[in-house]
Amino acid sequence: MNLPYEIRIGLRYALTGRNDRFVSFVSLMSAAGIALGVAALIVVLAVMNGFHQELRARILSVASHLEALSLDRSGFSDWSSIADDYLQHPDVLAAAPNVQQQALLVAGDKTQGTLVRGILPQQEQTVSRLGEYITEGDLSALTAGSYGIFMGEKLAQQLRVGVGDDVILLAPQGKLTAAGFYPRLRRFHVAGIFVSGLYQYDSGLSYINLTDAQKIYRLQGPTSIRLQVEELLQAPALRDKLSNINPKVFLHDWTTSHGGLFRALVFEKKVMFIILTLIIAVAAFNIVSALVTMVRNKRSDIAILRAMGASSGGIMRIFLFQGTIIGIFGTFIGVVAGIPIAINAGLILETIENLFGRDLFPGSVYHLDRLPSLISFSDSFLVAGIAVLLSLAATAFPAWYSGRLRPVEALRYE
C-alpha cells in the first residue's frame, strides 16, 4: 500500500528516535501525560455518574416523589378521600399516609435522636422500597397497638439493641405541669432492622405504625400523603398540575427537598471535568516543545524535501501527523487504562482500605456505604475526542514553523 510521503515520513520521525533521544523522551512523556489525564477524567466522571445515580436512587427509594402536606397541625381527618382525588391523575401511581415527627430513643444508658415515620405497611410499600431493605423482622409486624418499631442498622448499633429489645420513645410534645415539662413517652419493642445503604437513613430513621404514631403525637390523622409518580423527572410539573385539586393542601416534590444536593453534584461534575481537561491540555502542549525541537533538528531534511519539490503544506502535514500520532497514542492508552479502573473503582478502594486498615469512604461523610461508579460511553468518547483535538491544536505552531523554513537558510550551515 502506497501511503502519502507525509504519513510515511511522519511515522518514521515518530517511531524512530535514535538520533533524537531527547525529543523521543519528551514525546513519550507528552503521551504519558495525556494518557494519565484521560484515564483520570474517565475515572472521575464514572465515579461522579455512579454517585449521582446511586444517591438519587437510595434517597428516592425512601423519600417521597411528591408529598401532600396538611396545613392543619392535627393532620388529615379523611386522608383516603384526598388521596383518591390525586390518584385520579394517570401519572400518580400510588398514595400512602404518613406521620413524620422527631423523637428521642432511649435504650439503657444510650440515647439517640431519630426521625419517626408512622406508616401503614401495605400502603408504604407502594411508594417506597422499604420492604426490600428489611434485613431482620417482617414489616407486617407493625400492626396498630403493637408498638413495634423498625429502625436503621446504624441507629440500632448506636443504641446497642436488636430485634426483641425494648426502647423508650420520647416525643417532644408533652405537657407543662407545676413540676415542669413532661414529654410523652412510650415503650416500644424493636420489631425489625433495615439497611438502605444511605447513612442518613440508616442512622436516623425509624418506622412505627400510623395509628400508634397518631396516639403518641395526639394527631387526628396523618400529617402528609406520599405520592408515587410514574415519571420521576416530571414531578415538578406534575406538582403544579395537582396543586389546584385541594387548596388546603401544600404539595412539594423531591426537587424541593433534595434538588439542591443533586444540582450541587451536577455542578461539581462540570467543574471536575474542566479541571481535569486542563491537565490534558498541559500534557498536550508538551507536544509543542517536542515538535519544535524536532523541527530544528530536521532543518536539513526539510530543506532537502523542499528542494525535491515538497510544498510548505506537505512539510506542515508531516509534523501535524507526527503530533497527532502522539496524541492518539496517549489517548488510546488512557482510555484502555481508565475504563477498567473506573469499572472496578469500588473494589480498588476496598482493597486499599483493607491494606491500610482505614475507612477512606465513610458513610457519615459521603452518605453511601460504598464507592459507586457508572461508565458513560458518551463521556468516554467526549474525553477521547477532546484529548485528540487538544493534541492536534498543540501541533499547529510547530507545523506552521516547519512550513516557514527556507531551504537556503536551512542548508547554509550544513
Side-chain angles (χ1 to χ4, degrees), residues 182-206:
Y182 281 86
R184 289 194 294 272
L185 56 86
R186 178 76 194 192
R187 184 179 297 275
F188 279 75
H189 70 274
V190 180
I193 304 292
F194 68 86
V195 179
S196 69
L198 193 66
Y199 185 87
Q200 176 185 354
Y201 293 150
D202 292 342
S203 64
L205 184 60
S206 303

Side-chain angles (χ1 to χ4, degrees), residues 9-300:
I9 296 175
L11 280 172
R12 190 181 70 178
Y13 284 173
L15 301 179
T16 61
R18 287 176 294 180
N19 297 326
D20 297 291
R21 292 185 179 181
F22 174 76
V23 175
S24 299
F25 176 77
V26 174
S27 300
L28 183 61
M29 289 299 100
S30 301
I34 293 171
L36 183 61
V38 168
L41 189 49
I42 289 175
V43 172
V44 168
L45 291 180
V47 170
M48 295 291 292
N49 289 335
F51 191 85
H52 186 277
Q53 184 188 60
E54 189 74 10
L55 188 62
R56 185 173 70 178
R58 294 290 179 89
I59 288 177
L60 297 180
S61 66
V62 178
S64 307
H65 294 179
L66 272 174
E67 190 169 17
L69 300 175
S70 173
L71 298 181
D72 186 351
R73 292 184 177 181
S74 61
F76 294 112
S77 57
D78 185 16
W79 71 267
S80 58
S81 62
I82 298 175
D84 288 339
D85 291 338
Y86 290 122
L87 288 171
Q88 297 300 317
H89 196 285
D91 291 332
V92 179
L93 303 180
N98 178 67
V99 167
Q100 186 166 289
Q101 298 287 340
Q102 297 289 335
L104 195 66
L105 295 180
V106 180
D109 60 346
K110 302 295 181 182
T111 305
Q112 291 292 332
T114 184
L115 179 67
V116 174
R117 284 185 179 174
I119 61 170
L120 295 178
Q122 290 185 344
Q123 281 84 354
E124 179 65 21
Q125 294 187 76
T126 64
V127 298
S128 75
R129 295 168 57 187
L130 176 61
E132 301 176 17
Y133 297 148
I134 301 297
T135 57
E136 296 183 57
D138 189 346
L139 196 59
S140 61
L142 290 185
T143 57
S146 65
Y147 292 101
I149 185 170
F150 274 69
M151 62 179 63
E153 182 183 54
K154 301 294 184 183
L155 180 59
Q157 291 174 355
Q158 292 166 357
L159 292 171
R160 296 183 181 178
V161 296
V163 174
D165 293 333
D166 290 339
V167 296
I168 303 296
L169 187 148
L170 284 78
Q173 297 86 349
K175 58 182 179 179
L176 188 63
T177 66
F181 178 79
Y182 281 86
R184 289 194 294 272
L185 56 86
R186 178 76 194 192
R187 184 179 297 275
F188 279 75
H189 70 274
V190 180
I193 304 292
F194 68 86
V195 179
S196 69
L198 193 66
Y199 185 87
Q200 176 185 354
Y201 293 150
D202 292 342
S203 64
L205 184 60
S206 303
Y207 290 89
I208 62 177
N209 183 270
L210 180 67
T211 303
D212 296 343
Q214 291 176 197
K215 289 180 180 179
I216 294 171
Y217 292 100
R218 306 287 176 86
L219 299 171
Q220 296 180 2
T223 55
S224 67
I225 301 172
R226 302 176 60 187
L227 305 176
Q228 180 85 358
V229 303
E230 184 174 6
E231 293 292 338
L232 185 63
L233 298 179
Q234 298 301 320
L238 185 59
R239 177 202 61 199
D240 296 336
K241 294 179 182 179
L242 298 177
S243 59
N244 297 324
I245 292 180
N246 193 327
K248 296 182 179 180
V249 174
F250 175 73
L251 273 174
H252 77 90
D253 61 275
W254 66 273
T255 62
T256 304
S257 53
H258 300 97
L261 174 62
F262 296 120
R263 284 191 293 270
L265 289 175
V266 171
F267 178 75
E268 184 178 7
K269 178 183 175 181
K270 292 178 180 178
V271 172
M272 291 300 295
F273 184 90
I274 295 172
I275 292 173
L276 292 175
T277 299
L278 292 177
I279 295 176
I280 299 176
V282 170
F285 279 93
N286 284 336
I287 298 174
V288 175
S289 60
L291 291 185
V292 168
T293 305
M294 174 70 76
V295 170
R296 295 183 65 85
N297 291 345
K298 299 295 184 181
R299 284 183 300 177
S300 60

